[in-house]
Amino acid sequence: MKKRILITGGAGFIGSHVVKLFVEKYPDYLIVNLDALTYAGNLENLKEVEGAANYKFEKVDIQDAEALDSVFSNHQITDVIHLAAESHVDRSITDPLAFVKTNVIGTVNLLNAAKKAWNGELDQHLFYHVSTDEVYGSLHDGGFFIETTPYDPQSPYSASKAASDHFVRAYANTYKMRTVISNCSNNYGPNHFPEKLIPLCINNIKNMKPLPVYGKGENVRDWLFVKDHARAIDTVFHKGEPGETYNIGGFNEWKNIDIVRLLCKKMDEKLGREPGTSEQLITFVKDRAGHDLRYAIDATKIQKELGWEPSLQFEEGIDLTIDWYLENQDWLDHVTSGSYQDYYREHYES
Ligand code: NAD
Ligand code: DAU
């Protein structure tokens, strides 16, 4: 049967790369992008595919159960790739309930809509839930997260993602829904909303504004280029074993302060500034509440069982990313106007 895939959150950072990959690579599939277009969703991310014959957009909030039912029946949806979420840890600290509403209730609404639409033939469809390595908590003594690491979420964001993962597994167990989950490390690349560390620093370096480093900048994250994550999602969707979980990561750990210094060095070169100019912008600020020390993914399972691995070296990906931001000033202007200004003032200047 020709697939008719509902991709949620397809106007966001990762979702837009997944939508573009699927629309372009699979002309026989219908790709329905469902997104509420919150502050993080932007149809400009999808310019390349908006006119494609196999692409449709639905502006719908996953909190609206009735609207979800209509989308499933109007488009005869056969499979789901669920990315829609509130995704920023700092926002989850100031407004945890928003994260419960979208990430937990929204995910359960989507599971219910799929279960209703696929009633009697649940074994013929796939519900793919895209999640995060943050559900595993924080690593303090070396080691890596593997698929069986016990959940230990530490922030309201990761607690809401952990809850959504549990609901997906509960629907697989209780109703025999075919599901698959992947948990990925930190993504970076084009279209990343500039509230997150890498695009925030790129934007601030460009504008000679302070670079806010939380605590001492010693926290460690594992970084993966967003298009490699989209390729991994394609791989898991087509080759993953239903009921399984796959960890996705870049085998690429960095301390925050080292990433900020790398961005400063590269941008001084690209902008023709004296070496050391941008580093002077580094400002150590109050630490994030409950800040997880280290995340590190062991992505051996997806590598060995499904044959996926990252394609880009980090410095190559960072060069592409900086160049994209320097060449897409309009995109940055659009997303940093309006409510972004209020968020930035409240978060960094109060
Ligand atoms: P994002 O914030 O850039 O995009 C989220 C998208 O979801 C936006 O387009 C937004 O409009 C949409 N959305 C939010 N609430 C919605 C709602 N109630 N109904 C419908 N749409 C809604 O997020 P992202 O960084 O692209 O992350 C996508 C997914 O991947 C999330 O589930 C996130 O937890 C997961 N993830 C992200 C990373 C990362 O490094 N960014 C890593 C691992 C997993
Ligand atoms: O690990 C996967 C997760 O990565 C995803 O599930 C989340 O959706 C995504 O936002 C990301 O979470 P992080 O909290 O790791 O990303 P963020 O870019 O917000 O922060 C990266 C690190 O940089 C973290 O240790 C906090 C720090 N930081 C962040 C900001 C925004 C700063 O030092 N200064 C900042 O201004």
Side-chain angles (χ1 to χ4, degrees):
M1 180 176 56
K2 190 176 136 181
K3 291 186 187 299
R4 305 172 69 87
I5 307 173
L6 183 69
I7 300 183
T8 71
F13 168 47
I14 302 170
S16 61
H17 289 278
V18 175
V19 165
K20 284 184 273 192
L21 184 153
F22 273 73
V23 168
E24 284 160 7
K25 185 168 172 188
Y26 302 107
D28 287 350
Y29 294 178
L30 175 71
I31 303 301
V32 180
N33 170 12
L34 181 154
D35 198 297
L37 299 182
T38 68
Y39 78 93
N42 184 351
L43 291 178
E44 283 180 60
N45 296 345
L46 294 150
K47 278 199 301 267
E48 296 91 329
V49 294
E50 64 190 2
N54 63 335
Y55 172 72
K56 291 203 173 356
F57 175 70
E58 291 277 6
K59 184 174 183 305
V60 168
D61 192 316
I62 55 172
Q63 294 171 67
D64 183 346
E66 264 180 43
L68 290 179
D69 287 341
S70 304
V71 170
F72 271 81
S73 70
N74 290 347
H75 298 288
Q76 297 291 295
I77 296 300
T78 60
D79 303 88
V80 170
I81 305 178
H82 176 36
L83 293 110
E86 288 292 342
S87 69
H88 193 37
V89 174
D90 292 322
R91 290 182 190 256
S92 82
I93 293 168
T94 46
D95 187 7
L97 203 52
F99 285 67
V100 174
K101 287 179 182 161
T102 284
N103 299 358
V104 186
I105 298 174
T107 299
V108 176
N109 280 339
L110 197 61
L111 285 161
N112 282 341
K115 177 169 157 283
K116 206 195 267 184
W118 302 338
N119 184 28
E121 47 179 49
L122 278 174
D123 57 333
Q124 292 166 40
H125 306 276
L126 182 68
F127 190 105
Y128 178 1
H129 179 58
V130 175
S131 192
T132 170
D133 60 358
E134 299 201 11
V135 297
Y136 299 122
S138 183
L139 291 162
H140 290 270
D141 305 315
F144 294 89
F145 298 133
I146 58 171
E147 285 77 359
T148 51
T149 300
Y151 275 31
D152 186 21
Q154 298 293 319
S155 71
Y157 163 69
S158 53
S160 70
K161 290 296 291 187
S164 65
D165 292 11
H166 289 320
F167 270 102
V168 173
R169 293 198 178 95
Y171 273 58
N173 179 61
T174 310
Y175 308 111
K176 308 303 168 213
M177 187 179 267
R178 278 175 89 238
T179 64
V180 67
I181 299 178
S182 58
N183 297 81
C184 188
S185 61
N186 285 60
N187 287 214
Y188 70 97
N191 310 99
H192 204 182
F193 193 80
E195 65 188 350
K196 308 280 167 63
L197 179 71
I198 289 181
L200 183 126
C201 286
I202 294 174
N203 189 32
N204 284 13
I205 292 171
K206 194 165 165 230
N207 295 304
M208 289 297 286
K209 284 174 67 178
L211 308 176
V213 175
Y214 296 164
K216 295 184 178 145
E218 298 282 316
N219 303 67
V220 172
R221 298 289 183 267
D222 164 41
W223 293 92
L224 177 70
F225 192 61
V226 63
K227 291 189 190 202
D228 277 333
H229 187 192
R231 282 178 43 249
I233 289 173
D234 178 20
T235 303
V236 171
F237 179 80
H238 287 100
K239 301 209 263 177
E241 202 52 49
E244 289 294 315
T245 296
Y246 297 91
N247 279 356
I248 303 169
F251 299 102
N252 176 43
E253 289 180 54
W254 285 74
K255 277 188 188 166
N256 293 337
I257 186 66
D258 293 335
I259 296 220
V260 176
R261 291 208 171 103
L262 176 72
L263 292 170
C264 289
K265 179 170 155 285
K266 284 191 175 286
M267 288 194 65
D268 280 348
E269 285 162 16
K270 287 177 194 286
L271 295 170
R273 290 182 185 159
E274 281 292 307
T277 308
S278 302
E279 276 211 18
Q280 290 166 20
L281 300 169
I282 294 176
T283 312
F284 292 95
V285 298
K286 189 163 157 265
D287 208 353
R288 173 183 278 174
H291 198 171
D292 287 340
L293 181 64
R294 173 174 168 255
Y295 305 141
I297 279 277
D298 179 347
T300 306
K301 178 175 171 181
I302 185 172
Q303 242 185 349
K304 289 235 164 85
E305 294 184 10
L306 307 185
W308 171 89
E309 57 185 12
S311 70
L312 276 190
Q313 294 297 314
F314 188 57
E315 294 221 10
E316 222 181 317
I318 283 290
D319 272 323
L320 285 174
T321 305
I322 296 172
D323 292 347
W324 187 86
Y325 281 91
L326 294 179
E327 285 158 16
N328 287 275
Q329 184 59 48
D330 283 359
W331 185 92
L332 258 179
D333 288 345
H334 293 165
V335 302
T336 54
S337 61
S339 63
Y340 177 82
Q341 306 277 356
D342 298 334
Y343 168 79
Y344 194 87
R345 256 193 307 276
E346 272 164 37
H347 195 76
Y348 293 103
E349 289 168 7
S350 60

